[in-house]
Amino acid sequence: MTELTGAAAAANQPQGAISGSDRTASGRRRHIVLTSHPRRSGQKGSPIHWGHSDPVKRGPIVATVADPSHRNAIGTHSGSYAVYRALAVASGVLHPEHRPDLTHTAPAVALGPHPSWGEGEKIVSLDPFGALVGEVFQPWLAQGVDIRPTIAITRAHIQMPELMAAVRQGRLREDGEIVKPGGDLVVTKAAIEPVWYLPGVAQRLQVREDDLRYALFEQTGGMFPELVTRPDLKVFLPPIGGITVYLVGNLAAMTDPDLPLAVRVHDECNGSDVFGSDICTCRPYLVHGLEECIQTAQQGGAGIIVYFRKEGRALGEVTKFLVYNARKRQEGGDRADAYFARTECVAGVQDVRFQELMPDVLHWLGITRIDRFVSMSDMKYNAIVRSGIEIVHRIPIPEDLIPADAQVEIEAKKAAGYYTDRGPLSPDGLAQVKGRALAE
Ligand SMILES: [Zn+2]
């Protein structure tokens, strides 16, 4: 992809200026530096040695748009929120060269480093040093390079009605430390933005790096030309949702094989997680995962919820709602034996979450064994085990937590290979599991 449009094409200046007027209405320079080709001077951002355990040798990820000559990555910070940043700049409420003041923003709790941080391509979809940039990249910061955290770690109390009910019903106990009087849960939480090492992501998906780069370029409408023009840039900050990790209990238990660890890996489902929709088991299973985490933490261990922004199996919520309509309007009504077929009709594929990349966050936390894995997904289980983490027990959702209309989903998933201690239904049995009609 070398074609340029407008003035740059006319001037044949790959990194030159595109200008109508040289100044915006607010007086700022309107000078655009394209990074789709290496600078003629040969000046490039500092090299990244991905997978190196020493952060100084690994080098910082520089995705600032303030100084293109410092960049050594494709894309930019804040995922899809970069577009809102652009609106703020266009509206004149944010100076394009604003630099964050990171005073007092360092992690509230130290996580890592762990041996996995330096084990080659064990972590390829996040920057293990992303929370520590202010500490470990001082030599670059001192030279004025704009390096931004891609991970932030803080502490919080969370209040969920189901957890408070579990305390009242005696399933959870207030210990004053993990569960406060009244049912407040004390957590450490980490927000993580994706940072992809493209050769490692390609290897994980067993595709050629060239093919991955081309598909990313094309399917984002050509948003990131460097994907195809700059094979020297190996790191990409994709404009997608990130991960939030909730940690409960003794954090040392995450890496101590003598202490128990419970983990739920949860993919976003706004309709259920936030609004309580009864068509699926997402929120009930999420809350059950939290209960398992708390009980494990109260035995001296730790519990972890990993929450991925992968709405609707990463197909998005518009696709999801279209599928709901198709399921409920199809001949014979909503039923378990046609559950996955309806998604495939609309989206062309059943699932694009690509769990192959998911275990990276567990390796970032230094986990090598999970005692209680609160998920029935065979895809998540296989991805974690194949990445070298042992799983001792798998915890299905208790039957009494499954909403009536969600029987279609859960039976379809069990028939497709999800973990169950009772076995999946027969094809005939599957066809009998019906959901509510659209008008009801
Ligand atoms: Zn759901």
Side-chain angles (χ1 to χ4, degrees):
M1 215 303 295
T2 55
E3 279 184 33
L4 299 165
T5 54
N12 193 21
Q13 290 178 330
Q15 72 277 18
I18 300 177
S19 58
S21 145
D22 253 9
R23 299 264 170 193
T24 64
S26 60
R28 288 197 299 275
R29 286 178 62 82
R30 192 197 290 273
H31 175 80
I32 293 173
V33 178
L34 297 179
T35 53
S36 51
H37 293 75
R39 293 170 68 84
R40 281 179 188 154
S41 64
Q43 190 187 355
K44 290 182 188 174
S46 60
I48 299 167
H49 300 288
W50 190 270
H52 207 294
S53 60
D54 178 347
V56 173
K57 290 186 177 141
R58 203 293 302 272
I61 310 295
V62 186
T64 175
V65 293
D67 188 343
S69 71
H70 288 165
R71 285 170 59 83
N72 60 13
I74 304 166
T76 185
H77 291 286
S78 308
S80 57
Y81 296 111
V83 176
Y84 286 102
R85 197 170 65 224
L87 295 186
V89 169
S91 305
V93 296
L94 173 63
H95 194 283
E97 286 168 23
H98 169 78
R99 289 207 183 186
D101 174 358
L102 297 175
T103 309
H104 298 320
T105 64
V109 173
L111 297 176
H114 298 294
S116 50
W117 294 19
E119 284 175 33
E121 291 173 9
K122 201 150 214 165
I123 298 173
V124 300
S125 60
L126 60 87
D127 175 6
F129 301 105
L132 304 175
V133 299
E135 296 171 42
V136 299
F137 297 127
Q138 271 305 329
W140 288 268
L141 292 166
Q143 289 172 34
V145 179
D146 180 13
I147 309 167
R148 302 195 178 187
T150 55
I151 300 178
I153 302 165
T154 189
R155 299 261 293 164
H157 286 198
I158 62 175
Q159 302 175 326
M160 292 178 81
E162 294 95 328
L163 295 181
M164 293 179 173
V167 169
R168 286 196 302 275
Q169 291 157 10
R171 289 199 311 281
L172 288 179
R173 118 185 113 78
E174 293 170 355
D175 57 43
E177 195 176 330
I178 297 163
V179 180
K180 296 280 187 189
D184 278 22
L185 176 62
V186 178
V187 299
T188 298
K189 57 183 182 178
I192 304 170
E193 285 178 8
V195 178
W196 288 4
Y197 176 59
L198 291 168
V201 172
Q203 192 182 31
R204 216 51 93 68
L205 303 184
Q206 298 186 306
V207 299
R208 279 163 32 106
E209 187 187 333
D210 280 0
D211 293 339
L212 173 67
R213 284 171 174 265
Y214 189 80
L216 286 168
F217 167 71
E218 207 176 43
Q219 293 300 318
T220 54
M223 192 181 247
F224 304 101
E226 298 96 326
L227 286 165
V228 286
T229 62
R230 296 288 305 272
D232 59 310
L233 295 178
K234 299 291 187 190
V235 172
F236 174 43
L237 278 62
I240 60 174
I243 307 168
T244 315
V245 182
Y246 282 83
L247 307 167
V248 182
N250 174 12
L251 301 188
M254 292 193 293
T255 54
D256 186 336
D258 294 327
L259 295 174
L261 178 66
V263 173
R264 171 160 177 81
V265 176
H266 189 96
D267 294 324
E268 177 179 29
C269 173
N270 180 270
S272 170
D273 294 344
V274 180
F275 290 98
S277 162
D278 70 345
I279 199 171
C280 58
T281 57
C282 298
R283 181 174 172 107
Y285 213 175
L286 177 64
V287 175
H288 184 66
L290 269 167
E291 272 200 46
E292 289 279 349
C293 285
I294 295 165
Q295 284 162 358
T296 308
Q298 289 182 334
Q299 292 158 16
I304 303 173
I305 303 285
V306 186
Y307 193 94
F308 278 86
R309 295 315 188 297
K310 289 179 176 174
E311 177 60 65
R313 293 192 214 120
L315 294 163
E317 204 172 37
V318 169
T319 296
K320 187 182 200 173
F321 289 5
L322 295 173
V323 170
Y324 287 161
N325 282 346
R327 276 172 55 186
K328 290 185 176 292
R329 284 179 176 142
Q330 69 189 319
E331 210 178 315
D334 187 18
R335 55 191 202 276
D337 63 340
Y339 173 80
F340 286 109
R342 290 282 76 77
T343 304
E344 204 162 339
C345 283
V346 176
V349 60
Q350 291 179 4
D351 190 323
V352 293
R353 284 175 289 179
F354 291 94
Q355 301 293 354
E356 292 89 336
L357 300 174
M358 172 270 289
D360 287 18
V361 61
L362 304 176
H363 290 290
W364 174 67
L365 292 166
I367 293 168
T368 55
R369 194 191 70 193
I370 296 168
D371 297 277
R372 297 178 73 73
F373 182 56
V374 192
S375 168
M376 292 156 73
S377 165
D378 53 333
M379 289 171 282
K380 290 175 186 166
Y381 174 85
N382 289 335
I384 291 171
V385 171
R386 280 182 196 138
S387 80
I389 295 172
E390 181 192 356
I391 291 178
V392 183
H393 296 293
R394 301 168 75 174
I395 315 296
I397 184 171
E399 290 284 335
D400 60 344
L401 293 183
I402 302 171
D405 202 42
Q407 289 292 344
V408 170
E409 177 215 74
I410 202 79
E411 291 301 340
K413 285 180 168 178
K414 284 194 241 174
Y418 270 48
Y419 174 76
T420 160
D421 40 16
R422 297 207 325 210
L425 293 174
S426 66
D428 279 351
L430 211 55
Q432 300 306 312
V433 179
K434 300 268 178 76
R436 206 173 48 236
L438 200 54
E440 285 179 56

